[in-house]
């Protein structure tokens, strides 16, 4: 299924040009137009899923191996020291295009941390209460 109003559906289908790194019957991998570092790639399924909660299992099973293949190529081709695999779900998490995509970002030892947080602390009992709330919804 595709969404006629979705830019990533059009890019994945080849209707809007992109710098394509890889393509098969299920995915197109393109360069991000606003890269965190040169070579920043986006894995786009050719079917429309708004985020990871809608992602079909057949697609899900292929995404991490594909990310590993891209990250390995970024290391070899660009001399990257590592790579991040990042995937945002919902506006609060930074998602701006609501067609599932995974970012594969080449990283260098000199880069500032990309995902950093100040470690917090739970009040007494809060950690177990939080775990229980989440478990009940699974
Ligand atoms: P996210 O914030 O996870 O939804 O990521 C969306 C990403 O898509 C951003 O990093 C944008 O730079 C990128 N992007 C948006 N439009 C295009 C486009 N037409 N071609 C390539 N990358 C795009
Ligand atoms: Zn789409």
């Amino acid at each position: 299924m595709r969404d006629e109003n979705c830019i990533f559906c059009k890019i994945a289908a080849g209707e809007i040009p992109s710098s394509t790194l890889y393509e098969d019957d299920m995915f197109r991998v393109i360069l991000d137009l606003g890269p965190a570092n040169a070579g920043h790639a986006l894995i786009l399924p050719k079917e429309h899923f708004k985020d990871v909660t809608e992602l079909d299992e057949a697609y899900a099973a292929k995404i991490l191996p594909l990310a590993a293949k891209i990250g390995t190529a970024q290391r070899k081709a660009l001399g990257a020291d590592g790579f991040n695999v990042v995937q945002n779900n919902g506006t609060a998490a930074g998602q701006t295009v609501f067609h599932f995509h995974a970012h594969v970002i080449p990283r260098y030892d000199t880069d500032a941390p990309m995902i950093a947080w100040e470690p917090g602390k739970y009040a007494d009992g809060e950690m177990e209460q939080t775990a229980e709330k989440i478990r009940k919804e699974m």
Side-chain angles (χ1 to χ4, degrees):
M1 290 278 280
R2 58 177 276 167
D3 177 337
E4 290 308 322
N5 298 314
C6 173
I7 185 165
F8 280 4
C9 278
K10 292 185 178 124
I11 292 173
E15 292 162 17
I16 293 179
S18 63
S19 283
T20 295
L21 300 181
Y22 172 86
E23 185 183 4
D24 63 22
D25 55 333
M26 293 171 81
F27 296 96
R28 182 185 295 271
V29 180
I30 65 168
L31 287 184
D32 194 304
L33 270 183
N37 277 326
H40 178 163
L42 298 174
I43 300 175
L44 310 181
K46 290 189 173 180
E47 272 197 52
H48 183 86
F49 307 104
K50 85 170 178 312
D51 63 22
V52 75
T53 67
E54 287 191 350
L55 193 64
D56 182 283
E57 283 187 15
Y59 283 85
K62 298 200 164 174
I63 287 168
L64 281 181
L66 189 48
K69 185 184 174 87
I70 296 157
T72 300
Q74 289 169 335
R75 279 181 150 147
K76 286 187 188 156
L78 307 173
D81 299 307
F83 60 95
N84 288 107
V85 181
V86 181
Q87 195 275 308
N88 301 324
N89 300 284
T91 307
Q95 187 176 9
T96 59
V97 181
F98 294 86
H99 173 124
F100 174 97
H101 52 281
H103 300 253
V104 186
I105 305 171
R107 302 303 306 281
Y108 300 88
D109 291 339
T110 50
D111 285 345
M114 178 159 292
I115 301 174
W117 61 88
E118 199 60 44
K121 274 206 168 101
Y122 287 110
D124 277 355
E126 186 189 359
M127 192 171 180
E128 192 42 42
Q129 283 168 11
T130 305
E132 184 55 19
K133 275 192 203 165
I134 298 168
R135 278 195 294 264
K136 278 189 180 149
E137 299 297 335
M138 291 175 71

